[in-house]
Amino acid sequence: MSIKITLPDNSIKEFDAGVSTLDVAKSIANSLAKKAVAGKYNGQLIGLNDALSADGSLEIITKDSDEGLNVLRQTGAFVLAAAIKALHPEVRLGEGEAADDGFYYDTDREDGQLTIDQLPAIDAKMKEIIKANAPIEKISMSKADAKKAFADEPYKVQLIDEIKGDEVNGFKLGDFCDFEESVLLPNLKDLKHFKLLSVAGAYWQGKSSNPMLQRIYATAYYKEADLEEDGKRRQEAKERDHRVIGRDLDLFFVDPKVGAGLPYWMPKGATIRRIIERYIIDKEIADGYEHVYTPVLMNLDAYKTSGHWDHYRDDMFPPMDMGDGEMLELRPMNCPSHIQIFKHHIRSYRELPLRIAELGMMHRYEKSGALSGLQRVREMTLNDGHTFVALDQVQDEFKKILKLIMAVYEDFNISDYTFRLSYRDPKNTAKYFDDDEMWTRSQSMLKGAMDDLGLDYYEAEGEAAFYGPKLDIQTKTALGNEETMSTIQLDFMLPERFDLSYVGADGENHRPVMIHRGIVGTMERFIAYLTEIYKGAFPTWLAPTQIELIPVSLDQHMDYAKLLKDKMLKAGLRVELDSRNEQMGYKIREAQTQKIPYTVVVGDKEVDSAAVSVRRYGESAGEEMPANLFIESVEAEIKNYSRDGKHKRGEGQAQLDK
């Protein structure tokens, strides 16, 4: 019996039934067969040696594709489990998966979990298994037989119970077998370039109510050069990790004993945050916004009216019963609060656009396993704003908001970003506000505004908020990952649900359109982003300490140093005077370690000539100049948001100047 296989170029080839992906690859080119690691048959990933028994389309998955790398890493997870069981038969296995940057396996042991000290032995055992290069055999069994085979593996038994149908697929390597629905390499000759990375706790299946297992992280590549490059990237990530920098520079801390996901801002971190908050408020006020303060608690009924309770209940903290029938909720977003500001007075068309802004504190019920430094927290302060406009003002206001966002980006020297128009999914409209006309009109408005501005953008279906389409501004982190920094969202739904109105020129009530916007997102995530971009070496205008004053002699030069400090403070500079009884070289090195933009040393020569010896961060040589000229130059640099090139901002600056 012959079958017809359609290839990606739409050509059709005939083969005998039972042909494998590898056989098809060989029929095309030997070079393709050498790179082939799997196939995609009628859209389903299959093993390289799996038999094809019917007509269908086939794509050859090669080593140089993301899916091919995923197959290698899934195989790595399988071999990792085999090595663990060979060394530690008492370990109970959880799940092993390939991930974006490697693979992992979850383990559990009653007599103490596996530790990082045991990774070298596991590494050696993996290499021993790989060197033997025994074939990986694909197996299949009934659920009943599988549960018997894994009777001593409670987590595996649970996974077997969750499988639909009565058949369980798996793989066997020597005496070790594991079941999984994924695809593995047929042998281990390509699994040479791997590295075990770390161990960390992980809740079983990601649920905090489940037992805490021990997760072993690793990665693998087809080429040693790629593995080495990955090591460099991971080292760079470690050096840029805002959690590490935040600890070393004493910016913030999070202590699970007093509240996981609840950052405490130390004086230096609070200074950076305060500078950004003052900047944002001044910028928004100058652009026509009225700043307000609203409570972090609100009656639960407001979130039921807004729809947030229906759509985001799992991300909200449990309501608080006040005992008199009132249920209060920690707010997960600020829009219902700003709606109350709008509703407090009768509004006229002459007031529109009405722009309301707030640095609004919000709370999200994040699971413990998802929390990470300042990037994922349970309490956050959003640079939030809402504009209420007439329908014919939507596009102009949208453009105005976007220009404000771009002006802020310029001041922070953020240049690597793209625009994404986020629409509802036309194939799955159930989770969105039910008004087809609204969606068509609002999506057209956003697209029209972007076209008028002549800006490049891409369109993404399924990324809209439940109440309306939005523009997402996607930025690159210091390590090249993409995340949403700013958003502008159109909303026809909430004005309807809260019965908002304004009196038009005709004396009649009209429904406004609401525009949600965030310029730099939350203070927490934005400062995490900046910390990693700058590698902790903040530009002068943002640095918590801008100048470190060091007298050569505490006895002879302290008076002059104090005089300089007073002048600098009066000029609005953030300066510290190091009066400790330590060696000058030690003080200078510590100022560099703390990444202070300017270290100023004063001795006899400086006292005699009313000068300072200035060393910029990252430079080994100092420069002597008149004290007044130095103060003026720093003032000018701050006024220009450190964009004059005088301050070396660290390696992270290259990320921003691309």
Side-chain angles (χ1 to χ4, degrees):
M1 174 183 171
S2 64
I3 59 174
K4 294 180 179 179
I5 301 297
T6 303
L7 300 174
D9 63 358
N10 290 323
S11 63
I12 299 175
K13 300 187 73 170
E14 285 197 20
F15 297 91
D16 290 337
V19 68
S20 68
T21 298
L22 181 60
D23 293 331
V24 175
K26 286 179 179 178
S27 75
I28 298 172
N30 285 332
S31 59
L32 178 62
K34 289 179 180 180
K35 294 191 298 182
V37 294
K40 188 174 280 187
Y41 186 52
N42 294 330
Q44 183 74 32
L45 197 66
I46 61 172
L48 194 61
N49 294 325
D50 288 357
L52 311 180
S53 57
D55 295 348
S57 61
L58 178 68
E59 177 186 352
I60 309 296
I61 303 301
T62 58
K63 297 176 183 179
D64 53 6
S65 67
D66 289 341
E67 286 177 299
L69 185 58
N70 190 76
V71 171
L72 175 74
R73 290 172 171 173
Q74 195 69 48
T75 307
F78 176 78
V79 175
L80 172 58
I84 292 170
K85 290 296 285 187
L87 293 172
H88 306 281
E90 74 282 4
V91 166
R92 296 172 296 189
L93 297 176
E95 291 180 292
E97 296 287 346
D100 290 341
D101 60 350
F103 60 91
Y104 65 85
Y105 218 104
D106 290 341
T107 65
D108 193 21
R109 190 169 65 169
E110 290 185 3
D111 187 21
Q113 300 285 24
L114 296 177
T115 68
I116 196 166
D117 294 335
Q118 291 162 307
L119 293 190
I122 297 173
D123 178 277
K125 177 55 72 172
M126 287 183 68
K127 288 176 180 175
E128 180 184 320
I129 294 171
I130 292 166
K131 186 176 181 179
N133 196 26
I136 298 177
E137 179 187 353
K138 192 170 184 179
I139 59 175
S140 181
M141 64 186 83
S142 68
K143 288 178 76 170
D145 288 341
K147 290 174 74 170
K148 289 179 183 178
F150 291 95
D152 296 330
E153 298 278 4
Y155 301 108
K156 293 295 184 182
V157 171
Q158 181 180 333
L159 292 173
I160 292 169
D161 283 333
E162 294 171 359
I163 293 175
K164 295 180 179 179
D166 190 49
E167 190 174 29
V168 176
N169 297 317
F171 295 91
K172 192 171 186 295
L173 178 65
D175 294 331
F176 175 76
C177 68
D178 199 0
F179 70 88
E180 49 185 292
E181 298 298 318
S182 55
V183 169
L184 303 186
L185 296 172
N187 55 60
L188 303 178
K189 63 183 178 65
D190 283 319
L191 190 61
K192 297 176 182 177
H193 313 296
F194 72 92
K195 184 176 180 60
L196 301 185
L197 300 170
S198 61
V199 297
Y203 289 114
W204 169 238
Q205 296 189 320
K207 298 178 181 178
S208 59
S209 58
N210 285 342
M212 176 73 78
L213 308 188
Q214 191 79 322
R215 177 168 292 180
I216 299 178
Y217 290 94
T219 193
Y221 288 88
Y222 286 104
K223 298 178 181 178
E224 181 65 24
D226 291 337
L227 182 63
E228 291 177 357
E229 186 62 32
D230 179 83
K232 293 176 183 178
R233 182 185 64 81
R234 290 179 188 276
Q235 181 61 32
E236 179 73 5
K238 185 177 179 181
E239 292 175 0
R240 289 186 182 277
D241 191 329
H242 78 279
R243 296 166 297 183
V244 176
I245 295 172
R247 179 199 64 208
D248 293 345
L249 300 186
D250 201 24
L251 303 181
F252 74 95
F253 71 88
V254 179
D255 187 347
K257 294 178 182 178
V258 293
L262 302 174
Y264 284 73
W265 295 87
M266 297 299 285
K268 290 181 179 179
T271 297
I272 297 171
R273 175 170 171 166
R274 183 170 59 252
I275 295 164
I276 295 172
E277 289 179 343
R278 287 174 175 172
Y279 164 86
I280 287 292
I281 290 172
D282 289 345
K283 199 82 172 175
E284 290 176 336
I285 289 174
D287 211 48
Y289 285 85
E290 299 180 81
H291 260 261
V292 299
Y293 295 100
T294 58
V296 297
L297 289 168
M298 199 174 209
N299 193 297
L300 179 61
D301 289 342
Y303 297 111
K304 290 181 177 179
T305 300
S306 68
H308 290 114
W309 183 247
D310 290 335
H311 289 270
Y312 294 120
R313 185 182 310 181
D314 291 342
D315 297 319
M316 298 168 69
F317 277 93
M320 290 173 274
D321 188 344
M322 304 308 292
D324 56 359
E326 183 182 29
M327 301 292 288
L328 292 181
E329 177 67 35
L330 278 170
R331 67 178 176 192
M333 60 282 300
N334 306 308
C335 19
S337 301
H338 291 183
I339 284 173
Q340 299 309 311
I341 296 284
F342 181 90
K343 290 186 68 174
H344 189 63
H345 296 299
I346 296 174
R347 302 295 181 178
S348 164
Y349 72 95
R350 293 186 178 90
E351 297 178 75
L352 305 185
L354 179 63
R355 305 180 183 97
I356 297 172
E358 179 180 11
L359 292 172
M361 184 181 291
M362 311 182 304
H363 294 80
R364 301 279 173 90
Y365 185 60
E366 295 279 5
K367 300 293 189 294
S368 298
L371 300 173
S372 177
L374 297 177
Q375 288 176 326
R376 293 291 293 272
V377 293
R378 286 174 171 158
E379 178 185 275
M380 66 219 74
T381 299
L382 180 65
N383 161 225
D384 210 358
H386 297 89
T387 304
F388 300 88
V389 298
L391 185 60
D392 61 0
Q393 297 172 328
V394 167
Q395 288 194 341
D396 286 342
E397 186 64 17
F398 176 88
K399 295 175 190 176
K400 181 179 177 66
I401 294 170
L402 183 52
K403 288 176 181 177
L404 173 61
I405 291 173
M406 294 172 71
V408 170
Y409 280 17
E410 182 181 359
D411 288 343
F412 282 95
N413 210 3
I414 300 171
S415 58
D416 194 357
Y417 57 89
T418 55
F419 299 109
R420 181 182 75 188
L421 285 181
S422 298
Y423 304 147
R424 72 168 175 171
D425 185 351
K427 298 177 182 177
N428 180 21
T429 60
K431 64 179 182 178
Y432 302 99
F433 178 50
D434 186 17
D435 188 333
D436 291 341
E437 181 184 351
M438 179 279 286
W439 282 99
T440 300
R441 180 171 57 183
S442 56
Q443 290 177 178
S444 176
M445 284 180 172
L446 287 188
K447 182 176 174 61
M450 292 298 290
D451 290 339
D452 287 348
L453 290 170
L455 296 171
D456 292 331
Y457 59 89
Y458 64 98
E459 298 166 292
E461 293 181 343
E463 295 294 333
F466 75 90
Y467 49 77
K470 57 180 178 171
L471 172 72
D472 291 317
I473 303 181
Q474 306 296 107
T475 56
K476 288 290 183 67
T477 66
L479 296 174
N481 299 318
E482 185 177 273
E483 65 179 30
T484 301
M485 177 77 74
S486 312
T487 59
I488 310 174
Q489 303 174 350
L490 293 192
D491 186 354
F492 291 78
M493 183 194 78
L494 291 185
E496 184 76 27
R497 289 193 169 183
F498 283 93
D499 193 25
L500 302 186
S501 65
Y502 66 91
V503 179
D506 58 1
E508 300 294 325
N509 284 338
H510 297 269
R511 189 80 70 206
V513 179
M514 189 175 179
I515 302 178
H516 308 246
R517 46 107 287 201
I519 295 179
V520 295
T522 67
M523 290 297 105
E524 290 75 12
R525 180 168 285 190
F526 187 54
I527 292 174
Y529 164 83
L530 293 177
T531 301
E532 295 185 353
I533 283 286
Y534 293 125
K535 220 173 184 177
F538 291 93
T540 306
W541 78 282
L542 281 177
T545 301
Q546 296 164 327
I547 301 166
E548 183 80 359
L549 264 174
I550 302 176
V552 175
S553 168
L554 296 181
D555 295 330
Q556 301 175 38
H557 311 124
M558 182 59 77
D559 289 343
Y560 180 59
K562 288 180 178 178
L563 178 64
L564 283 177
K565 180 181 179 181
D566 289 342
K567 285 187 176 181
M568 292 174 181
L569 289 174
K570 288 179 181 178
L573 307 183
R574 295 183 292 279
V575 55
E576 290 185 359
L577 174 58
D578 194 334
S579 59
R580 295 174 299 166
N581 189 23
E582 299 282 357
Q583 293 293 321
M584 185 178 70
Y586 172 80
K587 294 180 180 181
I588 292 173
R589 286 192 299 274
E590 190 166 85
Q592 292 287 299
T593 300
Q594 289 296 303
K595 304 186 179 185
I596 296 171
Y598 292 101
T599 302
V600 173
V601 177
V602 292
D604 289 339
K605 187 177 180 181
E606 288 76 26
V607 171
D608 292 342
S609 57
V612 290
S613 177
V614 180
R615 178 184 294 189
R616 295 177 175 87
Y617 170 73
E619 297 182 0
S620 57
E623 176 186 0
E624 189 169 318
M625 65 175 68
N628 288 340
L629 180 60
F630 168 70
I631 293 173
E632 290 172 5
S633 69
V634 177
E635 286 181 289
E637 183 181 342
I638 293 169
K639 185 177 181 180
N640 199 35
Y641 303 110
S642 303
R643 289 184 300 207
D644 58 4
K646 291 183 179 180
H647 173 51
K648 184 178 180 181
R649 306 184 198 179
E651 298 173 25
Q653 187 60 30
Q655 293 286 333
L656 298 176
D657 290 334
K658 287 181 179 178

